[in-house]
Amino acid sequence: MAREPTPEEVRETYAAGVEEFASWLSTDTHDGLPLVATLVGAILLARATAGTELSEKILESTHKALTEPHADRPES
């Protein structure tokens, strides 16, 4: 029977996944961690305001901010 992972093991695995995703998003000039935080924050806020005009506005404005050429990206 396999043992259950400890909370510390789960956190370490989750943290490694976040770091890997941030690394994937990073460029030569931008760290990916602020991008991950921006994406997660936008999703959290959009879900918390689901069914309102604000929810869609959050997603649209975040998409625009992160995909426009030469858009100001969050600094690390």
Side-chain angles (χ1 to χ4, degrees), residues 43-50:
I43 292 169
L44 183 140
L45 291 170
R47 286 190 175 183
T49 58

Side-chain angles (χ1 to χ4, degrees), residues 20-71:
E20 184 178 340
F21 184 50
S23 176
W24 182 75
L25 288 173
S26 68
T27 66
D28 291 340
T29 58
H30 291 98
D31 178 12
L33 199 52
L35 298 176
V36 172
T38 300
L39 292 169
V40 170
I43 292 169
L44 183 140
L45 291 170
R47 286 190 175 183
T49 58
T52 69
E53 199 173 297
L54 180 59
S55 179
E56 192 59 33
K57 199 172 182 181
I58 290 166
L59 295 175
E60 287 175 2
S61 64
T62 302
H63 179 267
K64 183 178 178 183
L66 296 180
T67 59
E68 280 186 346
H70 310 292

